[in-house]
Amino acid sequence: MTAPFPGTAALAAIPRLGWAQEPTPITELPELAAELGLGWLGVKRDDLCTPLHGGSKTRKLDFLLAAAPWRDARGWRAMGAIGSGQLVACATAAGLLGKELRAHLFWEQPSIGVLDNLAHTASHASALRYHRSRVSLALTAPALLLGRGDAEWATIPPGATCLLGNLGLVRAGLELGEQVRAGVLPEPEVVYVALGSGGTAAGLAVGLGLAGLRS
């Protein structure tokens, strides 16, 4: 039996909702790898995370919403662009956990995906407040950026990026390390992620390091 990676036991002792249970699969892309001149290329399918909409937000909220004050609050406040995946995830989580969501939105260029996300958020949030821009939101509701709330309305930080939220991505890095060790994929030279608030990159870097990967 192989020994667990450092930090695995400590991470398992921290309460979470259990929304990210099984390792998300790896999809190999050999044709694109050949086109780009790469020895191997693949995607870790976090879009298949349930029960939210997939992606790193499911992993972050798994830890964040299991802890006080979010666990005990009547509802949450969260911010994002009109097509924010963060707000989609928070709105879905609110419905699953019987919470209310006050969503603060700012403008971004519309697209089909943006409009789909906006429709989902508008259908599930208990209240919407529109701000003309990120700057306007920062000036009129600075507590949202600072992650400040109260016992009744807990604030979910931008991108759910905070110490607790980032633990979800530390766990993802360890999960990827286990998949490498099991031979599911070769050790990646480089891991690419979308960069928003930076929490995914930060948490994943810690998890990959604990797993002994040089990626």
Side-chain angles (χ1 to χ4, degrees):
M1 180 181 294
T2 56
F5 292 127
T8 301
L11 197 60
I14 299 173
R16 63 188 187 92
L17 296 172
W19 284 348
Q21 288 287 3
E22 300 299 322
T24 53
I26 305 294
T27 296
E28 188 174 354
L29 304 172
E31 294 181 0
L32 184 55
E35 182 180 331
L36 297 174
L38 300 174
W40 187 89
L41 179 66
V43 178
K44 184 161 172 60
R45 298 294 304 276
D46 267 19
D47 59 308
L48 300 178
C49 275
T50 55
L52 306 184
H53 75 311
S56 63
K57 297 301 181 286
T58 301
R59 293 185 181 273
K60 289 180 174 181
L61 295 176
D62 189 30
F63 279 92
L64 187 70
L65 301 182
W70 303 275
R71 178 194 61 214
D72 305 319
R74 166 189 167 188
W76 314 313
R77 299 190 307 160
M79 59 166 285
I82 58 172
S84 168
Q86 156 85 347
L87 291 180
V88 169
C90 290
T92 306
L96 289 171
L97 298 176
K99 304 289 186 181
E100 296 183 44
L101 176 70
R102 293 178 176 176
H104 291 252
L105 307 97
F106 54 83
W107 177 255
E108 69 175 323
Q109 189 65 33
S111 67
I112 295 299
V114 165
L115 295 177
D116 283 346
N117 281 1
L118 176 58
H120 183 96
T121 301
S123 298
H124 292 78
S126 57
L128 299 177
R129 180 175 178 183
Y130 177 70
H131 304 261
R132 289 177 296 176
S133 66
R134 294 174 189 260
V135 174
S136 174
L137 188 152
L139 293 174
T140 57
L144 287 171
L145 295 177
L146 299 174
R148 293 176 181 170
D150 53 46
E152 186 175 20
W153 292 94
T155 297
I156 297 176
T161 291
C162 60
L163 179 59
L164 272 174
N166 289 359
L167 290 179
L169 277 302
V170 174
R171 189 173 180 275
L174 292 168
E175 181 181 298
L176 185 60
E178 288 286 2
Q179 290 175 304
V180 170
R181 185 157 67 177
V184 177
L185 74 158
E187 179 177 342
E189 293 183 8
V190 181
V191 177
Y192 291 90
V193 297
L195 182 66
S197 59
T200 296
L204 193 58
V206 173
L208 294 173
L210 289 172
L213 300 185
R214 297 165 295 175
S215 308

